Amino acid sequence: MTTIDNALLDVRKAYRLLADYQQRVLELLGFIREELGATHYHQHYRNKMPRSLDRLERSDDGGQRLLPFNDVSFLWLRDHGQEDPAHFHRKGDLLIDVWVRSDTGNGADEENEQAAEDSSSELRIYFFQCVEPKEESHNWYYQVWSNTDYPPLGEVAVCDDNPGYRAYGEALSLADLVDEASVRAAIAALRQRASEKLDQAI
């Protein structure tokens, strides 16, 4: 085989490996969502998925932008069963952001400059908590999540433009979430810590 044949073989293997990885993470996320009693609300692609493939070859990051699962946030809601929970919140309602960090790089908002060997793969799970509900419509995505910087991991912070909301988050290594027992144990421990930090049962 030529060098190019070997390279293309590596690409075919990589696609199959990525498909298997993404399938397993999707199943993991579904299990965690059920454990937390939450429902799917939204998703956020941090790599700015292209609206069109036209002229994408002119972009230096075109290949990166076609990897939608790399650094995607799954946004879930846990509410009190009210009508339109995305806009009308009750005390104790939660928006849960599970951020799949496939390559942690140098920080939450920085480019991935580290070598793959020096990086890690993890789930960053943030809880956005409604403490003082607003009477008027207040959108979780645009008015709370989008306008809040992530707090340092392990710390509670008041949401930037919304003093009636708080946020708390932790990181779980994907390498530690290898089977049902380990996932249950990790999520149970996370819930206990988050419950203590946010003063409500998570």
Side-chain angles (χ1 to χ4, degrees), residues 82-98:
Q82 68 268 33
E83 186 176 347
D84 194 10
H87 296 88
F88 294 94
H89 314 154
R90 296 183 181 175
K91 182 176 181 178
D93 281 358
L94 298 171
L95 179 142
I96 304 169
D97 174 3
V98 182

Side-chain angles (χ1 to χ4, degrees), residues 62-105:
Q64 179 75 13
R65 291 171 63 193
L66 287 174
L67 297 174
F69 207 80
N70 185 27
D71 281 355
V72 60
S73 272
F74 291 79
L75 303 177
W76 306 332
L77 292 182
R78 201 177 81 187
D79 51 72
H80 290 81
Q82 68 268 33
E83 186 176 347
D84 194 10
H87 296 88
F88 294 94
H89 314 154
R90 296 183 181 175
K91 182 176 181 178
D93 281 358
L94 298 171
L95 179 142
I96 304 169
D97 174 3
V98 182
W99 180 5
V100 182
R101 297 235 53 200
S102 304
D103 184 350
T104 55

